[in-house]
Amino acid sequence: MATNYVQDGMTIPVTNAGAEPILSGAPVVVGDLVAVAITDIAPGITGDGFARGVWRLPKLATDDIAQGKKVYLKDGKIQLAATGAVAAGVAWGAAEASSDFVAVRING
């Protein structure tokens, strides 16, 4: 194996700098990436998040998201608008405006 190999890139460390726990399955911004917390992460603790894959994530109820659209994360919700948000990935399936969740291929 190459001596410069670090890992397969499926996970990334997530440090909870907030006052509330990050719950397992929650989308989290790590720099310019979006991760999904693997387990609950208490304040002040570093845990791990998935950095790849397709995840069912909470979305803005007002957005009608078509499959294949670029989506963004802001305030813990997936949305179509990029302003003030971090690129989350691509909608893996369509989600109507009345939907609370959308499947997203993160960082893809």
Side-chain angles (χ1 to χ4, degrees):
M1 178 178 276
T3 59
N4 58 343
Y5 179 82
V6 178
Q7 65 156 302
D8 65 7
M10 286 296 294
T11 63
I12 189 168
V14 175
T15 301
N16 185 352
E20 299 294 322
I22 297 171
L23 300 180
S24 175
V28 182
V29 173
V30 180
D32 291 332
L33 293 175
V34 169
V36 175
I38 295 173
T39 60
D40 293 350
I41 305 170
I45 300 297
T46 298
D48 286 312
F50 288 109
R52 297 191 330 204
V54 178
W55 300 91
R56 185 173 174 261
L57 299 176
K59 66 173 266 306
L60 282 182
T62 54
D63 281 358
D64 186 8
I65 300 175
Q67 182 180 27
K69 290 293 288 181
K70 289 183 181 180
V71 291
Y72 303 86
L73 181 68
K74 182 177 179 182
D75 299 327
K77 299 220 177 192
I78 297 296
Q79 62 182 37
L80 291 169
T83 305
V86 172
V90 182
W92 209 244
E96 297 177 358
S98 60
S99 301
D100 292 328
F101 296 90
V102 61
V104 177
R105 178 178 168 209
I106 60 172
N107 306 313

